[in-house]
Amino acid sequence: MEQYREYGSARIKYNPFRVTDGQVIYVSADGDDSGNGTFNTPVRTLEKALELAAAKEDKEEKIEIYMRGGVYHVSNTITILDSGNRYAPLRICAYRNEEVILNAGFDIPLSAIETADKEFTNAVIDTPAEGKIVQYSLKDAGISDYGELSLRGHLISDEKEAQAELSFNGEVQKLAGWPNNGYTGLIAPASYGKRNKAGIVNGCSFTVDYDRPSLWSKASQAWLAGTLGPNFEFDYYPVSHFDSEEKRVYLSRGVVEQYYTAPYYRFENIPEELDAPGEYYIDRQSGMLYFYPPEDAPENSVLTITMPTPTISWNGKAPNSMFRLEGCKDMIFENLTLKGGRGSAVTGRNNSNIRFVNCDVNSFGENGIRLDYSTDITVQNCRIHDVGQDGIQFTNCGDYIKLIPNNNLVENNEIYNFARLERSYKAGVNFGYRSVGAAARNNHIYNGPHTGMIFYGVNNDIYGNEFNNLVTEFNDMDALYANNSCYPWERGNNVHGNYFHDIGQSSMNGRHQINVRAVRTDNRGCGLNIYENLFYRIGDGGNGRGNNGIGAITAEGTRNKIYNNLFVDCNETYTNTLKYMEIDTAEDGTLYPDTVINSNGNEVPNTINGAAVKDLKKQMETYLPVYGKQFPELYNFFNEHPNMSKTNEFKNNMIINMAFPLSTYNGEQNSEGFRGSDKLVEAYGNYVSDKDPGFISYSDGNLELSPQAAALVEGIPNFDMDSFGIIK
């Protein structure tokens, strides 16, 4: 039977049983997978559209999958294997900017929720006003898989799938707990030291000065969330019980062996503590969800319970993710919302030329987008938020041996509320191990408990980003963090034109955080270029412990170059705390001997951040044929001991402290405005003042320099405030 399509006044015949419009496949939530993907007979699922795309005869012909507006439920991983170029070039996008939501979770309209029963609300210790807490039977809705809370933390995680969580209009809510804001602590010895267990017996019990847990009916289901061990970690421990007579908390699993500072934590998963807007609790026995909605929540609000997206068939272990890409190239994902999974939104390996444009990725228990061993990946103009681990992660991308860049680009994205479940060493953007030539440009990265961005590798470019409200729950961590001291050939990384502000101002259980920087190359990292950045309000002043080790930059290795930066109201600017040392030449002619004599008089292997110098020298020899051409200073690396070489530079920076002076708590600042030995740092041309040099408007936070102010420092830019972060 002949069919026709209307185009204005024209009536054109077409065949509904073949893909039309130049290889376009249509998907509609009202479609039918028995259809063939035309405009009038769209398929219902993306999986069926991909099946049609894979059947194309011309392997070079472009396929576009247009998704009509609607919500598409994703219950299993959408796997795209394209080693044979079956799909590419492929574009998956919303039709004419209609709202397309790929949802792994279960949606609940706020209007479908009823007031919580009295039995529950009367048990809440600080009972809210009547009607504030609502409930919804997940069991009656057919949901019986709530997942399980599990041990999480730096190097101790059980590596289990995330538990079911509640998202409200794309923002993951807070599990009911105590205290509501901030943290509590424990009774411990007055002096804290690295090997002192702070009163924690056998790693799993400790006394407290409160009896709040005695009011909890299900204390054995509670979890302790916070820092009991090293102060750069944040862990989740299961509670066993509370002894109200001794006021002692017992954990059912304890792994605490050492710590650096006073512990701080909160308790979670407690029904009696559901007393603040944004808190929720899932009764895993009855299947009832309880929730305290935010004040003035819109009537059309949507709650989402995150759900798993298992892989049906796979030749190996694959992550629980909405999309799994393997061997794919030349693909675009555009104008899509991905949400509601307990795993990641996108994972994969060995991909090239994949673009994510104008997408919203939220409410996942693991990562937003993680692609490893992949090149030419672009994430652009996206919002990535409310994820349990990294927002974006690329690891082992580029040719590390030959120094061939991966050309991965993270540009113009808004990235926030990440690292919710795995809170240590998870970031908004993570250029993981052996990253070569990746770029993060004009992103806004904010509201993260730990670091905002981690980078490793060579020749990465970090430019034009805005970093703020980061490291909000930790000590000894930084907004932008690298630890390449074990890989001294990793250099050529540029940090320039960025705006770092409002960092290092948090307190945990009444103690101000310590050892927080905007930028750090940890453990004597080398070869970092930091220039033309604006650092504002890093720390909040004072020479007491309240700003111990808080400042803009730490870089203590060799050949770190810091120039043409503007520091405004920073506790410290640049810190290099190494002391100048005279070192005898080793037998092989270098200054790094393979062995040293320890305090007991024994000869032991010499190390750099745990790596044996003897092994590093052998590794360096293998890298020099390629790396030495780009970084000729590597030939002399073992003659440039960090404690004796004047190879670092701190020059032509402007340092203005109007709100408070530079801190002298950890030592005097020298005349060039940094803390460190002038025998290790070449410093000159820096302008240091406590007066306004000529900002456009200091009181309004507009720190652009007038021409007269910029003329005070050679080469310094004027710092256009509109150049940082997302470019509209």
Side-chain angles (χ1 to χ4, degrees):
M1 177 180 176
E2 292 183 344
Q3 296 192 24
Y4 296 85
R5 181 178 299 171
E6 304 290 339
Y7 289 96
S9 60
R11 189 166 181 264
I12 300 174
K13 182 171 66 173
Y14 77 104
N15 182 354
F17 298 103
R18 61 183 293 273
V19 174
T20 61
D21 296 339
Q23 293 295 300
V24 173
I25 301 172
Y26 291 94
V27 185
S28 171
D30 298 323
D32 190 325
D33 277 353
S34 64
N36 51 23
T38 61
F39 185 85
N40 284 350
T41 58
V43 295
R44 185 175 59 84
T45 65
L46 180 56
E47 293 91 330
K48 183 62 178 181
L50 288 167
E51 181 182 320
L52 294 175
K56 68 178 182 177
E57 296 180 1
D58 184 349
K59 297 300 182 183
E60 301 300 321
E61 187 173 20
K62 180 179 180 180
I63 292 287
E64 292 189 295
I65 297 177
Y66 285 149
M67 302 190 72
R68 302 301 307 271
V71 178
Y72 298 83
H73 183 64
V74 179
S75 57
N76 297 292
T77 298
I78 299 173
T79 302
I80 306 179
L81 305 177
D82 203 19
S83 57
N85 199 30
R86 295 184 299 164
Y87 303 96
L90 173 66
R91 179 180 179 226
I92 303 173
C93 65
Y95 177 75
R96 293 187 177 179
N97 293 322
E98 294 179 358
E99 185 179 18
V100 173
I101 300 174
L102 294 164
N103 184 15
F106 178 81
D107 283 349
I108 307 167
L110 183 61
S111 58
I113 292 184
E114 61 184 11
T115 301
D117 59 63
K118 293 287 187 180
E119 182 179 358
F120 181 88
T121 57
N122 288 342
V124 175
I125 299 169
D126 299 320
T127 308
E130 186 173 353
K132 291 292 186 180
I133 301 176
V134 296
Q135 67 182 31
Y136 182 86
S137 176
L138 300 175
K139 182 178 180 181
D140 289 349
I143 299 176
S144 57
D145 181 356
Y146 314 121
E148 60 177 306
L149 282 74
S150 60
L151 190 72
R152 296 184 180 276
H154 183 54
L155 303 179
I156 67 167
S157 292
D158 282 341
E159 304 296 336
K160 291 186 177 181
E161 175 186 273
Q163 71 269 15
E165 296 184 283
L166 178 67
S167 173
F168 182 79
N169 292 339
E171 297 183 4
V172 175
Q173 303 297 283
K174 191 175 182 179
L175 197 55
W178 179 83
N180 284 335
N181 299 304
Y183 302 92
T184 185
L186 53 90
I187 296 176
S191 61
Y192 294 99
K194 185 173 181 179
R195 301 195 179 280
N196 186 325
K197 291 185 179 179
I200 302 174
V201 179
N202 296 324
C204 62
S205 81
F206 50 87
T207 56
V208 297
D209 57 1
Y210 49 81
D211 59 3
R212 185 82 172 196
S214 65
L215 303 177
W216 302 338
S217 63
K218 300 178 180 180
S220 61
Q221 296 179 17
W223 284 74
L224 184 149
T227 295
L228 291 181
N231 60 14
F232 51 83
E233 298 181 3
F234 191 105
D235 305 323
Y236 291 79
Y237 302 102
V239 174
S240 170
H241 64 281
F242 177 70
D243 188 318
S244 58
E245 292 186 2
E246 294 186 2
K247 290 188 178 180
R248 179 173 290 275
V249 174
Y250 287 85
L251 306 177
S252 59
R253 294 174 65 181
V255 297
V256 179
E257 296 180 355
Q258 64 182 31
Y259 76 101
Y260 295 154
T261 192
Y264 54 93
Y265 55 85
R266 69 187 300 266
F267 295 95
E268 296 184 348
N269 199 45
I270 306 161
E272 290 88 357
E273 299 292 354
L274 206 166
D275 56 9
E279 287 192 320
Y280 73 97
Y281 173 77
I282 298 175
D283 188 319
R284 283 168 163 73
Q285 291 182 324
S286 68
M288 188 67 74
L289 165 69
Y290 298 96
F291 180 46
Y292 192 148
E295 300 291 347
D296 301 320
E299 293 183 1
N300 62 348
S301 296
V302 175
L303 287 72
T304 302
I305 296 292
T306 59
M307 298 291 287
T309 48
T311 302
I312 295 178
S313 60
W314 192 259
N315 295 327
K317 183 180 179 181
N320 163 20
S321 55
M322 179 177 284
F323 283 95
R324 180 71 181 178
L325 309 180
E326 292 280 341
C328 297
K329 66 178 183 179
D330 300 332
M331 293 184 179
I332 300 175
F333 297 79
E334 187 173 359
N335 290 338
L336 306 173
T337 293
L338 315 181
K339 74 168 192 175
R342 296 182 195 169
S344 299
V346 181
T347 60
R349 298 159 63 99
N350 302 317
N351 302 288
S352 64
N353 196 26
I354 310 295
R355 297 181 61 201
F356 300 88
V357 182
N358 295 328
C359 292
D360 189 309
V361 178
N362 71 78
S363 309
F364 283 89
E366 294 182 8
N367 304 293
I369 298 171
R370 176 173 180 172
L371 295 175
D372 302 328
Y373 299 95
S374 299
T375 60
D376 297 286
I377 308 300
T378 297
V379 183
Q380 187 177 54
N381 300 337
C382 294
R383 277 205 318 161
I384 299 178
H385 58 103
D386 293 270
V387 296
Q389 299 183 23
D390 291 308
I392 300 169
Q393 182 179 153
F394 301 137
T395 298
N396 282 298
C397 294
D399 192 322
Y400 190 77
I401 303 300
K402 297 180 180 179
L403 277 184
I404 299 174
N406 56 52
N407 296 321
N408 293 335
L409 174 63
V410 179
E411 180 179 46
N412 225 54
N413 304 286
E414 185 180 11
I415 306 169
Y416 60 98
N417 293 354
F418 43 85
R420 291 182 303 92
L421 293 178
E422 297 285 357
R423 300 177 87 81
S424 302
Y425 293 98
K426 301 299 179 182
V429 176
N430 189 337
F431 290 165
Y433 290 102
R434 298 198 165 199
S435 174
V436 182
R441 184 167 62 209
N442 284 110
N443 303 285
H444 187 191
I445 303 173
Y446 63 102
N447 289 2
H450 206 242
T451 180
M453 182 175 178
I454 296 173
F455 68 97
Y456 290 89
V458 190
N459 294 338
N460 298 297
D461 191 49
I462 302 165
Y463 167 70
N465 304 283
E466 180 178 3
F467 296 88
N468 65 286
N469 293 90
L470 299 164
V471 200
T472 58
E473 298 180 359
F474 285 87
N475 297 285
D476 200 18
M477 187 37 60
D478 320 281
L480 178 61
Y481 177 80
N483 190 347
N484 60 355
S485 58
C486 293
Y487 319 104
W489 46 86
E490 290 192 354
R491 50 191 63 210
N493 295 299
N494 296 314
V495 179
H496 60 114
N498 302 284
Y499 179 27
F500 299 87
H501 65 98
D502 296 290
I503 295 163
Q505 301 175 0
S506 296
S507 295
M508 285 78 74
N509 196 32
R511 290 176 178 262
H512 199 290
Q513 61 188 160
I514 63 175
N515 296 338
V516 174
R517 306 285 170 174
V519 181
R520 183 188 327 203
T521 54
D522 207 357
N523 298 313
R524 306 181 185 182
C526 303
L528 187 62
N529 303 307
I530 307 173
Y531 58 97
E532 298 181 357
N533 301 282
L534 170 56
F535 299 90
Y536 177 48
R537 290 171 47 87
I538 311 300
D540 47 16
N543 272 334
R545 188 174 176 82
N547 275 274
N548 181 4
I550 294 178
I553 302 168
T554 290
E556 297 181 324
T558 58
R559 295 186 181 268
N560 294 298
K561 301 182 186 303
I562 300 147
Y563 59 94
N564 287 150
N565 300 285
L566 173 58
F567 302 90
V568 182
D569 293 337
C570 295
N571 200 60
E572 293 183 355
T573 60
Y574 165 51
T575 302
N576 186 326
T577 60
L578 299 180
K579 294 182 179 180
Y580 181 77
M581 298 171 58
E582 296 286 353
I583 299 177
D584 294 332
T585 303
E587 291 183 4
D588 62 0
T590 68
L591 292 170
Y592 259 129
D594 293 345
T595 60
V596 294
I597 304 299
N598 67 12
S599 58
N600 296 323
N602 299 319
E603 188 176 27
V604 296
N606 193 11
T607 62
I608 298 177
N609 192 26
V613 169
K614 183 178 181 179
D615 294 336
L616 280 177
K617 289 178 179 178
K618 291 180 180 179
Q619 291 183 61
M620 183 73 83
E621 290 179 2
T622 66
Y623 287 111
L624 279 175
V626 175
Y627 282 65
K629 292 179 181 179
Q630 187 168 153
F631 310 113
E633 69 270 19
L634 290 176
Y635 285 99
N636 199 41
F637 175 77
F638 291 103
N639 290 321
E640 293 182 349
H641 193 285
N643 296 79
M644 57 76 59
S645 299
K646 196 170 185 176
T647 60
N648 295 300
E649 297 180 5
F650 185 73
K651 63 182 184 181
N652 297 334
N653 300 286
M654 179 175 283
I655 302 158
I656 306 298
N657 280 70
M658 296 169 61
F660 48 82
L662 287 170
S663 173
T664 58
Y665 177 80
N666 289 304
E668 291 296 322
Q669 306 287 334
N670 58 40
S671 60
E672 293 290 342
F674 76 99
R675 184 163 62 87
S677 170
D678 57 9
K679 293 183 178 181
L680 298 176
V681 180
E682 186 75 33
Y684 59 85
N686 299 292
Y687 179 86
V688 184
S689 176
D690 59 1
K691 303 293 191 299
D692 188 335
F695 296 122
I696 297 300
S697 180
Y698 170 83
S699 60
D700 295 327
N702 186 343
L703 304 177
E704 182 177 342
L705 298 175
S706 67
Q708 294 79 5
L712 295 170
V713 177
E714 180 182 349
I716 201 165
N718 68 348
F719 296 99
D720 179 2
M721 303 301 290
D722 292 332
S723 68
F724 303 119
I726 296 171
I727 303 299
K728 301 296 185 181

